[in-house]
Each structure stands twice: as structure tokens, then as C-alpha cells.
Amino acid sequence: MTADLFADQPSTLPARVVLAPGALLLRGFASTLENELIAALHQVTHAAPFRHMETPGGFRMSVAISNCGALGWVSDRRGYRYAPLDPLSQQPWPAMPEVFAALAASAAAQAGYRNFVPDAALVNRYALGAQVSLHQDRNEQDFRQPIVSISLGLPATFLFGGEQRSDKTRRIGLLHGDVAVWGGPSRLHYHGIVPLKAGVHPQLGAFRYNITLRKAG
Ligand code: MD6
Ligand code: FE
């Protein structure tokens, strides 16, 4: 039956999902660029290897991170912030690959945010069990600027809440090639990622990667 043949195809999911006013999920928006994105991801993380940062509270983050662009998001006992140098190498972060910036600008435009020019791309790597607990993204200078988030590799469940940590959360599956654009009235909404389930992705193995692009400075 036709319905069964196509039941697992992303094309049966809605192409655009409004998560909240200002927050839009573009299903498969990165799919045609997957090879370029994966090559750029490997290039960046070869130059600035994944590492587990320490939280201000002294915990080791389960997600491994890297960055590229003029600014990189870092965490240590002093807090969360953007820094121009990789604390491991004391060198500038690798340049932002053109494919990251171009995809981010085009996704942002789809959601109505024009002229988005990211200066920071945080690369997250999730292994089995890695998670990000509910948080707000508030280390950037200008909350009028959106955030663009690209999902690659294994699927994950995204939690999306409201302005208060205690607000009810919605669960959304994020798949390889999905792009979320996030800003405006929901820019400071709480969100997180539930612990990654086991799996093997044909190109990316046992991991989920997320590239989050921002105009941080
Ligand atoms: C992740 N993402 O998808 C974690 N933050 O791995 C985030 O924390 C996030 O996807 C702000 C906007 C979009 C995001
Ligand atoms: Fe976030």
C-alpha cells in the first residue's frame, strides 16, 4: 500500500512547524546540503576538537562542543560567555564555513528575519545519553537577532517550553536535515534536549550533531 511505503519518509511530515510565535521548524531544509555541511563540520572539529566543558556549578557537560566563527560559546567555573579564542589552543576559532552562514541566512529569511549574519556557530555533539537540560539562550548581545539551529545525524527529542522554567513543555522530534529558526517573541523561551537514544546514522554513526548559529556580538 502506498501509505505504508511512504510512512517513514520525512516528506510525510509537515514542511514547516510553528513551534511558537517567532519559532519555526523547517523540516529537511538542510538536506540538499548535507554532504557540504558534514564536510565543513569535520573540518571545523579537526581544527578545534570536541571537548566537554565544565559548567559554572562544576559539572562536566554531557554534550561535547566546538565552535567556529569570530566568537565561540564557552563555559567554565567563571560562567557562560562568548570568547574570540579557543581556550584549548588560545588561537582564534576556525573561520565559519560559508555553507553554515549561507544556510543560516536563507533559513532565517524563510522565517521573516532578513539580513541574518551570524558571527558564532556552536557545534554540539551528542553521544548516547547526552542531554541539555532546560535553559534559555541569553548570552548574546541583541535578542532581536534570531538563532538558527541545524540538526544532523541521529534523531533527538527537543523540549520546548515557555518564558518560565516551570511552564509546560512540548516535545518535538528533530531529524537529520531539520533546521529551526528561533527569535522574536519566543527568543527567551526555555528549551532542552532529552538524553540521546542509541542508534547508528548512515553518515554520522552513533552521534547527533547540532550547529547553532548566532549573531552573538
Ligand atoms: C540542540 N539546541 O538542538 C540544542 N537553542 O542540540 C539549543 O539549545 C537551541 O536548537 C536555541 C535555539 C535553538 C536551539
Ligand atoms: Fe539553547
Coordinates of all heavy atoms in Angstrom, one line a residue, residues 53-61 73-81 139:
M53 N 33.0 20.7 28.2 CA 33.3 21.9 29.1 C 32.7 21.7 30.5 O 31.8 20.8 30.7 CB 32.8 23.2 28.4 CG 33.6 23.5 27.2 SD 33.3 25.2 26.6 CE 34.4 25.2 25.2
E54 N 33.2 22.5 31.4 CA 32.7 22.5 32.8 C 31.6 23.5 33.0 O 31.8 24.7 32.4 CB 33.9 22.7 33.7 CG 33.6 22.4 35.2 CD 34.8 22.6 36.0 OE1 35.9 23.1 35.6 OE2 34.7 22.3 37.2
T55 N 30.6 23.2 33.7 CA 29.6 24.3 34.0 C 30.0 25.1 35.1 O 30.9 24.8 35.9 CB 28.2 23.6 34.4 OG1 28.4 23.0 35.6 CG2 27.7 22.6 33.4
P56 N 29.4 26.3 35.2 CA 29.8 27.2 36.4 C 29.6 26.5 37.7 O 30.4 26.7 38.7 CB 28.9 28.4 36.3 CG 28.5 28.4 34.8 CD 28.4 27.0 34.4
G57 N 28.7 25.5 37.8 CA 28.5 24.8 39.0 C 29.5 23.6 39.2 O 29.4 22.9 40.2
G58 N 30.4 23.4 38.3 CA 31.4 22.4 38.4 C 31.1 21.0 37.8 O 31.8 20.1 38.1
F59 N 30.0 21.0 37.0 CA 29.7 19.7 36.4 C 30.3 19.6 35.0 O 30.4 20.7 34.3 CB 28.1 19.5 36.3 CG 27.5 19.4 37.6 CD1 26.9 20.5 38.2 CD2 27.5 18.1 38.3 CE1 26.3 20.3 39.5 CE2 26.9 18.0 39.5 CZ 26.3 19.1 40.1
R60 N 30.5 18.4 34.5 CA 31.0 18.2 33.2 C 29.8 18.1 32.3 O 28.9 17.3 32.5 CB 31.8 16.9 33.1 CG 32.3 16.4 31.8 CD 32.9 15.0 32.0 NE 33.6 14.5 30.9 CZ 33.0 13.7 30.0 NH1 31.8 13.3 30.1 NH2 33.8 13.2 29.0
M61 N 29.8 18.9 31.2 CA 28.6 18.8 30.3 C 28.7 17.5 29.5 O 29.7 17.1 29.1 CB 28.7 20.0 29.3 CG 28.4 21.3 29.9 SD 28.5 22.7 28.7 CE 27.2 22.3 27.6
W73 N 31.1 30.0 21.9 CA 30.4 29.9 23.2 C 31.2 29.0 24.1 O 31.6 27.9 23.7 CB 29.0 29.3 23.0 CG 28.2 29.3 24.3 CD1 27.4 30.3 24.8 CD2 28.1 28.2 25.2 NE1 26.8 29.9 25.9 CE2 27.2 28.6 26.2 CE3 28.6 26.9 25.3 CZ2 26.9 27.8 27.3 CZ3 28.3 26.1 26.3 CH2 27.5 26.6 27.4
V74 N 31.6 29.5 25.3 CA 32.4 28.7 26.2 C 31.7 28.7 27.6 O 31.0 29.6 28.0 CB 33.8 29.2 26.3 CG1 34.5 29.1 24.9 CG2 33.9 30.6 26.8
S75 N 32.1 27.7 28.4 CA 31.6 27.5 29.7 C 32.8 27.1 30.6 O 33.6 26.2 30.2 CB 30.5 26.5 29.8 OG 30.1 26.3 31.1
D76 N 32.9 27.7 31.8 CA 33.9 27.2 32.8 C 33.4 27.7 34.1 O 32.3 28.2 34.3 CB 35.3 27.7 32.5 CG 35.4 29.2 32.4 OD1 34.6 29.9 33.0 OD2 36.4 29.7 31.8
R77 N 34.2 27.6 35.2 CA 33.8 27.9 36.5 C 33.4 29.4 36.6 O 32.7 29.8 37.5 CB 34.9 27.6 37.5 CG 35.2 26.1 37.7 CD 34.0 25.3 38.0 NE 33.5 25.6 39.4 CZ 33.5 24.7 40.4 NH1 34.0 23.5 40.2 NH2 33.1 25.0 41.6
R78 N 33.9 30.2 35.7 CA 33.6 31.7 35.7 C 32.3 32.0 35.1 O 31.8 33.1 35.2 CB 34.7 32.5 35.0 CG 36.0 32.5 35.8 CD 37.2 32.7 34.8 NE 37.0 33.9 34.0 CZ 37.6 34.0 32.8 NH1 38.4 33.0 32.3 NH2 37.4 35.1 32.1
G79 N 31.7 31.0 34.4 CA 30.3 31.3 33.8 C 30.3 30.9 32.3 O 31.2 30.3 31.8
Y80 N 29.2 31.3 31.7 CA 28.9 31.1 30.2 C 29.2 32.4 29.5 O 28.8 33.5 30.0 CB 27.5 30.7 30.0 CG 26.9 29.6 30.7 CD1 25.8 29.7 31.6 CD2 27.4 28.3 30.5 CE1 25.3 28.6 32.3 CE2 26.9 27.2 31.2 CZ 25.8 27.4 32.0 OH 25.3 26.3 32.7
R81 N 29.9 32.4 28.4 CA 30.1 33.6 27.6 C 30.6 33.3 26.2 O 30.9 32.1 25.9 CB 31.2 34.5 28.4 CG 32.5 33.8 28.4 CD 33.5 34.5 29.4 NE 34.7 33.7 29.5 CZ 34.8 32.6 30.3 NH1 33.8 32.2 31.0 NH2 35.9 31.9 30.3
N139 N 23.1 34.6 26.4 CA 24.5 35.1 26.4 C 24.8 36.0 25.2 O 25.9 36.5 25.1 CB 25.5 34.0 26.5 CG 25.3 33.1 27.7 OD1 25.1 31.9 27.5 ND2 25.4 33.7 28.9

